[in-house]
Amino acid sequence: MDKSVMVVGIDDSDHSLYALEWTLEHFFSTAPGKSPFKLVVVHAKPSATTAVGLTGPGAAEVLPYVERDLKIIAARVMEKSKEICAAKSVKDVIVEAVEGDPRNALCDAVDKHNATVLVVGSHGYGAIKRAVLGSVSDYCAHHAHCSVLIVKKPRKTAH
Amino acid sequence: MERGIAVAFSSIPEGGAMGAEEKVKVRVMVAIDDSGESFYSLQWVLDHVFGSQNNDEYLLNIIHVIELFPSYVLPGAPAVFPSTSIVRSVNKAQEENASAIITRAIDMCTQRNQVHINTSIIEGDPKEMICGVAEQMKVDLIVIGSRGFGKIKRALMGSVSNYVIHHAKCPVLVVKMPTSKAESLNA
């Protein structure tokens, strides 16, 4: 039987790594190696131009440095996610980095791998922050072509 | 404003003694109404989450929220107060509907796997009740269906899944029905 595919979206934040750990703990821990899901970890690396957002003079000089930093961050994030998977002894994993806006990149990855579930972390922004900064999890929940699991990191000050 | 909450708990442990409560590590809550999408989400959970044999550590909570009657009052429109007999008959119909839904859900579960089930029927505003009960029961995962509305429909008719995503304190899984199935169901 074909395994269903689960795509997990990762960025540099703690929230998305927490989402990855949560997913592994709840969906992959019962019988490692015999889980019904195939895991694909996707890191959406923003391109240098979107990250910098400048069009003034001097932007062209800054871009190579920004690009290099983004590449370093991307590599570190992918390493971290491989470590987390190895720690939970999940071997059937694909880790890939995609360039571009995370919202579209994740939805495209869902289509490309024909995923049944997309897992994203959530920063837990309130309504205003969400409107200003945008919310990848919101976008994915509404636009992905598959079921979407949004994992929130519990706040430390919960009482 | 919420009325008093009428909570009916019926616990149906499947294939396990009462002592299984201590072993429960993961509580999953599935919200059901009478739409095809919510039953699809229940089926999805049974297929993908409870697929394996060892379901002892999971507890499945099925919740159905009965929406209170005078919830369609438009702001600015003259208030219409239905007579008490109408309210009573609507409530009765809603309760019968609710128990039919829950029975159908339980049948679906028993057909598939051995899994511990807990059911609840609650009155109130669905979105708030789902989040509230999930917090009370300390569930680890809320599963909710999505009717696949676009932005405008969602703004006009309200979206329970949207509210739950933003306000729940625990992870939320929104199950979407593949569009071809949705069309055949709603045709």
Side-chain angles (χ1 to χ4, degrees):
Chain A
M1 184 175 83
D2 246 5
K3 277 190 174 187
S4 348
V5 178
M6 185 182 271
V7 172
V8 181
I10 296 281
D11 67 7
D12 195 21
S13 68
D14 278 342
H15 301 266
S16 50
L17 291 173
Y18 176 82
L20 178 60
E21 282 174 4
W22 193 97
T23 310
L24 290 177
E25 206 178 294
H26 288 88
F27 285 99
F28 290 85
S29 67
T30 44
K34 286 199 295 178
S35 160
F37 286 107
K38 192 165 143 52
L39 185 64
V40 177
V41 178
V42 174
H43 171 61
K45 169 184 157 313
S47 63
T49 39
T50 48
V52 173
L54 294 170
T55 48
E61 293 162 7
V62 175
L63 282 181
Y65 296 108
V66 174
E67 181 69 33
R68 192 193 61 189
D69 276 346
L70 286 177
K71 283 214 170 76
I72 295 177
I73 293 177
R76 191 182 64 205
V77 166
M78 285 166 64
E79 262 314 301
K80 196 100 208 330
S81 34
K82 283 186 195 149
E83 273 170 37
I84 295 177
C85 293
K88 306 262 184 198
S89 32
V90 175
K91 304 238 172 55
D92 192 8
V93 187
I94 301 177
V95 182
E96 52 184 47
V98 182
E99 175 113 3
D101 187 8
R103 297 166 238 229
N104 299 323
L106 288 181
C107 293
D108 288 343
V110 163
D111 290 333
K112 176 175 140 197
H113 293 273
N114 221 352
T116 34
V117 191
L118 168 67
V119 182
V120 285
S122 163
H123 288 273
Y125 288 156
I128 297 182
K129 261 190 176 172
R130 213 178 270 266
V132 170
L133 295 174
S135 170
V136 174
S137 56
D138 238 5
Y139 183 91
C140 289
H142 295 160
H143 291 91
H145 293 146
C146 67
S147 308
V148 179
L149 170 59
I150 298 173
V151 180
K152 299 185 199 190
K153 197 168 174 178
R155 285 186 214 173
K156 303 285 186 214
T157 52
H159 40 208
Chain B
M1 288 300 129
E2 301 157 21
R3 278 210 225 134
I5 300 173
V7 174
F9 272 103
S10 63
S11 182
I12 306 179
E14 285 288 315
M18 288 301 174
E21 278 297 321
E22 296 126 26
K23 286 207 290 183
V24 170
K25 287 206 300 203
V26 183
R27 297 168 202 270
V28 179
M29 180 159 114
V30 181
I32 299 275
D33 61 2
D34 54 8
S35 68
E37 282 83 4
S38 57
F39 278 96
Y40 179 81
S41 67
L42 177 61
Q43 189 62 53
W44 197 97
V45 168
L46 291 172
D47 288 342
H48 290 93
V49 178
F50 295 106
S52 62
Q53 294 308 106
N54 179 22
N55 289 324
D56 254 353
E57 300 174 342
Y58 290 87
L59 177 64
L60 177 63
N61 292 300
I62 301 179
I63 177 172
H64 173 69
V65 184
I66 298 179
E67 214 164 329
L68 296 178
F69 186 53
S71 57
Y72 301 113
V73 180
L74 291 174
V80 175
F81 292 105
S83 67
T84 44
S85 58
I86 293 184
V87 172
R88 230 181 295 145
S89 65
V90 168
N91 282 340
K92 190 153 162 290
Q94 281 178 326
E95 276 164 32
E96 286 172 8
N97 196 22
S99 49
I101 289 173
I102 292 283
T103 315
R104 205 172 130 202
I106 295 176
D107 283 344
M108 205 182 253
C109 297
T110 52
Q111 260 176 26
R112 275 311 233 91
N113 318 70
Q114 292 282 76
V115 68
H116 303 291
I117 309 178
N118 223 344
T119 60
S120 348
I121 300 181
I122 305 209
E123 273 183 17
D125 186 12
K127 13 192 226 266
E128 292 168 17
M129 287 298 136
I130 291 175
C131 294
V133 174
E135 212 175 315
Q136 270 175 11
M137 286 180 151
K138 296 198 181 35
V139 301
D140 301 299
L141 174 66
I142 299 178
V143 181
I144 197 160
S146 163
R147 286 176 288 185
F149 286 162
K151 281 207 187 103
I152 298 181
K153 262 191 176 171
R154 207 169 256 149
L156 286 179
M157 294 179 54
S159 170
V160 174
S161 55
N162 210 16
Y163 184 95
V164 172
I165 291 174
H166 293 167
H167 291 89
K169 303 250 164 50
C170 68
V172 178
L173 172 60
V174 177
V175 179
K176 298 194 197 181
M177 225 159 151
T179 37
S180 51
K181 266 203 197 148
E183 278 159 16
S184 65
L185 247 180
N186 293 332

